Amino acid sequence: MASPRLFEPITLRGTEMRNRLWISPMCQYQALDGLANDWHLVHYGSLARGGAGLVMVEASGVVPEGRISPGCLGLWSDEHTKALREVVNVVHRWGGKIGIQLAHAGRKASLYPMLPGLPEGSIPIEDGGWETIAPSAVAFTGLREPKKLTLEGIEELIEQFVVAADRAVEAGFDVVEVHGAHGYIISSFLSPLSNFREDEYGGSLENRAKLLRKIVKRIRDNHPDLPLVVRISASEWRDDGFTPKDGAQLAKMLKEDGADLIDVSSAANVAEARIKAGPGYQTSFASEVRKGGLPVGAVGMIISATQAETILVSGLADVVSIGREALRNPSTPLSWAKELRSDSYHEYVPDSYFRAWPQR
């Protein structure tokens, strides 16, 4: 195979990613006060050096209380912008493009970092935890009950996302992703299983999507040339929840609002779900959402080069993202390029590594 689809470039709003194998945002829980540090420089630099087309930085809180945990990154001050600019520069140095996932964890904020040896669940207020917010005052199973957002609070939240996007552009990020998945604040608004509002932000899908749409529109107005990705949970694995067909309808709306690509994941908004996980288990959701008229990314147990290539050539998705495979081996893109006999794979090999990666 001389020209695998996986290693063809893709361009969003004039920004070209060198291939269609991207790195998913994955929480590292290594930040202090939301600031990037040496861990992030090495981690993200290694992923870029390994040949990824786009490296997506983990969920970064648009405000301190928007973080999943005290160990999560943030982007709410000049100091955070400066620290992340160094990460951007490292990724660019190794030929990759870099994005950042802007997030507010909503009712799933104020958790202990998901690291070995630590407790699970909400951090008590007296131990450094904080109050959480949601569309309705309904807790995620086992977590602290959140406060229902007022209409004024919703407007503040929208502004927080917009300002964080401005900071991301200032830091030099090539792509911004709005996190609308996994039960965090936007996802909990989108879902009928967590949004029980009776105002303009509740009820129909059109109403439940208003928060996300306003955020996307405002960011697009401020940054006409910025590639803008939205991650969604296209299925809650329940018939009475958000469905892939809803995802396709949402994609149509977001296309009107200026989004460029939908990053399709699933689940994590309600604990009571029967998830059938397996290799590529979310790919069919991506294919359904793609009917909404926007390019899509597939993610979730994509574990081999041939699997990733098949997803693309079959027209199920436009890019694929890997997570744990990249944690196991940051050079997975380079390995897969060699395996698929891509003519361009040697272009990803750092000069100092040439002895480990012969051209054939």
Side-chain angles (χ1 to χ4, degrees), residues 5-25:
R5 179 74 168 163
L6 191 60
F7 292 95
E8 291 179 359
I10 182 170
T11 300
L12 300 177
R13 291 194 183 259
T15 296
E16 182 181 275
M17 273 57 75
R18 58 185 171 181
N19 60 53
R20 296 165 186 259
L21 182 52
W22 295 2
I23 305 297
S24 286

Side-chain angles (χ1 to χ4, degrees), residues 22-169:
W22 295 2
I23 305 297
S24 286
M26 294 175 284
C27 292
Q28 298 297 295
Y29 306 110
Q30 295 291 339
L32 180 62
D33 296 326
L35 292 167
N37 54 46
D38 288 350
W39 174 271
H40 303 93
L41 290 172
V42 173
H43 172 64
Y44 291 112
S46 296
L47 293 168
R49 188 202 62 204
L54 177 72
V55 176
M56 189 68 74
V57 168
E58 65 206 78
S60 301
V62 296
V63 287
E65 59 273 20
R67 292 171 295 165
I68 301 167
S69 83
C72 292
L73 286 174
L75 188 50
W76 64 79
S77 76
D78 292 344
E79 193 176 4
H80 295 87
T81 305
K82 180 180 178 182
L84 283 166
R85 187 180 294 119
E86 295 186 33
V87 177
V88 169
N89 291 341
V90 167
V91 169
H92 284 164
R93 180 179 179 185
W94 298 116
K97 293 294 192 298
I98 183 168
I100 187 168
Q101 185 184 66
L102 300 181
H104 191 299
R107 65 180 186 162
K108 294 176 73 176
S110 189
L111 304 184
Y112 289 101
M114 192 183 294
L115 294 174
L118 294 181
E120 296 181 1
S122 300
I123 302 173
I125 300 294
E126 59 270 22
D127 292 337
W130 55 88
E131 292 182 337
T132 60
I133 58 173
S136 304
V138 178
F140 184 87
T141 303
L143 302 184
R144 178 182 299 120
E145 182 176 311
K147 285 188 174 182
K148 177 182 175 180
L149 265 177
T150 64
L151 291 176
E152 293 78 8
I154 290 173
E155 291 304 314
E156 290 177 4
L157 179 64
I158 293 167
E159 180 66 15
Q160 289 160 356
F161 270 91
V162 172
V163 171
D166 293 342
R167 290 189 178 281
V169 171

Side-chain angles (χ1 to χ4, degrees), residues 216-231:
V216 170
K217 286 178 182 177
R218 290 276 306 279
I219 294 174
R220 174 55 65 221
D221 288 345
N222 286 0
H223 305 286
D225 300 323
L226 174 69
L228 188 54
V229 175
V230 177
R231 173 168 271 204

Side-chain angles (χ1 to χ4, degrees), residues 229-289:
V229 175
V230 177
R231 173 168 271 204
I232 66 170
S233 285
S235 173
E236 297 191 271
W237 297 88
R238 283 178 46 167
D239 293 340
D240 56 348
F242 193 93
T243 69
K245 288 186 178 180
D246 292 332
Q249 188 175 344
L250 178 62
K252 290 180 181 179
M253 301 179 200
L254 293 173
K255 183 177 182 180
E256 295 176 2
D257 302 332
D260 297 304
L261 183 142
I262 308 296
D263 183 10
V264 183
S265 187
S266 75
N269 183 51
V270 290
E272 303 78 16
R274 295 182 179 180
I275 302 172
K276 299 176 181 178
Y281 70 107
Q282 296 174 147
T283 304
S284 63
F285 304 151
S287 179
E288 180 68 29
V289 173

Side-chain angles (χ1 to χ4, degrees), residues 200-219:
E200 61 182 294
Y201 289 94
S204 66
L205 176 60
E206 289 77 8
N207 282 0
R208 287 182 275 120
K210 279 186 178 181
L211 171 64
L212 173 57
R213 296 191 68 185
K214 286 184 176 183
I215 290 169
V216 170
K217 286 178 182 177
R218 290 276 306 279
I219 294 174

